[in-house]
Amino acid sequence: MAGSSKEREEEWRELIFDAYNRCIEQGAAVSEITIKRICEEAHISKPTFYRYFDNKEDMAIWVCRRAIDAGFTQIGRTCTWFVGLYRTCLEFLRYKAYFSAAPKGPSNGMVGDALFDYKRDVLMETLTKYRRERIDSVAAFQIEAFLVSS
C-alpha cells in the first residue's frame, strides 16, 4: 500500500469492508456477521479493525459516504445531476451484496441519520458555496423534502 496516509487509510478501510462484503456474498446475514469474522476474513487483528472503524455501523456509514462522494457530492460543482447520480450508482453497485442485505429505510437508525445529515450538508454547501444561492425557509423545506424522498 503506497501513497499518502489518507490513501493508505482508505485502502485499509476498503480491505476490511471487502472482507465484510465477502461474508455477505457467502450467505451470512448482516446481523450475524461479527467483528471477529470480518477480521478472520480480512486476515487482520481486531485492533487493526478498530483502528479504522468503530463498529459495523461505522463501516456502513463509510461505504455509503464513499458511494455518495463518488458522484452525488459533485453535482452542481463539477458535474450534472445525471453524471453525479450515475457515478454514485456505479459505486453502490460495487458493493451490491452489502446494499442488498443491509437494513433499508429511515428506520436504519444511526446509519440513516448520519447519511441524511451528510447529504443535507453536501446539498447546502453546493447551493450556498458553489452555486451562491440564498437558502430561505421554503428552499430549506424543499431540500429536506427531497432528502426524505430520496
Side-chain angles (χ1 to χ4, degrees):
M1 295 187 187
S4 71
S5 90
K6 179 87 171 144
E7 288 170 342
R8 283 190 302 277
E9 181 178 318
E10 284 302 298
E11 288 174 357
W12 276 104
R13 287 175 181 264
E14 188 168 341
L15 177 134
I16 295 165
F17 193 86
D18 284 344
Y20 184 40
N21 210 41
R22 280 193 306 277
C23 292
I24 295 166
E25 289 171 343
Q26 295 164 4
V30 169
S31 61
E32 297 171 357
I33 300 171
T34 63
I35 301 299
K36 179 181 178 189
R37 181 164 177 194
I38 294 167
C39 292
E40 288 169 354
E41 185 70 30
H43 305 289
I44 61 169
S45 66
K46 279 188 176 183
T48 299
F49 175 91
Y50 288 113
R51 184 177 307 134
Y52 298 101
F53 296 108
D54 294 334
N55 49 44
K56 290 191 320 185
E57 291 81 11
D58 190 33
M59 289 175 53
I61 292 168
W62 173 81
V63 77
C64 290
R65 284 183 72 155
R66 183 181 175 114
I68 291 166
D69 287 346
F72 184 82
T73 58
Q74 296 307 309
I75 294 169
R77 298 177 187 197
T78 63
C79 66
T80 65
W81 275 96
F82 177 80
V83 171
L85 292 176
Y86 177 74
R87 289 176 183 165
T88 299
C89 288
L90 286 178
E91 193 68 17
F92 276 111
L93 283 172
R94 183 173 175 196
Y95 298 106
K96 67 183 176 188
Y98 169 74
F99 288 112
S100 295
K104 311 290 187 290
S107 63
N108 196 3
M110 180 181 102
V111 175
D113 292 347
L115 294 175
F116 185 89
D117 293 343
Y118 182 64
K119 290 190 296 187
R120 182 183 46 230
D121 293 347
V122 166
L123 279 174
M124 294 298 281
E125 182 181 0
T126 298
L127 291 170
T128 58
K129 183 177 178 183
Y130 293 89
R131 307 303 285 180
R132 304 210 189 283
E133 300 286 338
R134 279 196 56 219
I135 306 299
D136 59 15
S137 61
V138 172
F141 173 78
Q142 291 170 330
I143 291 167
E144 294 290 319
F146 166 74
L147 291 170
V148 168
S149 68
S150 63

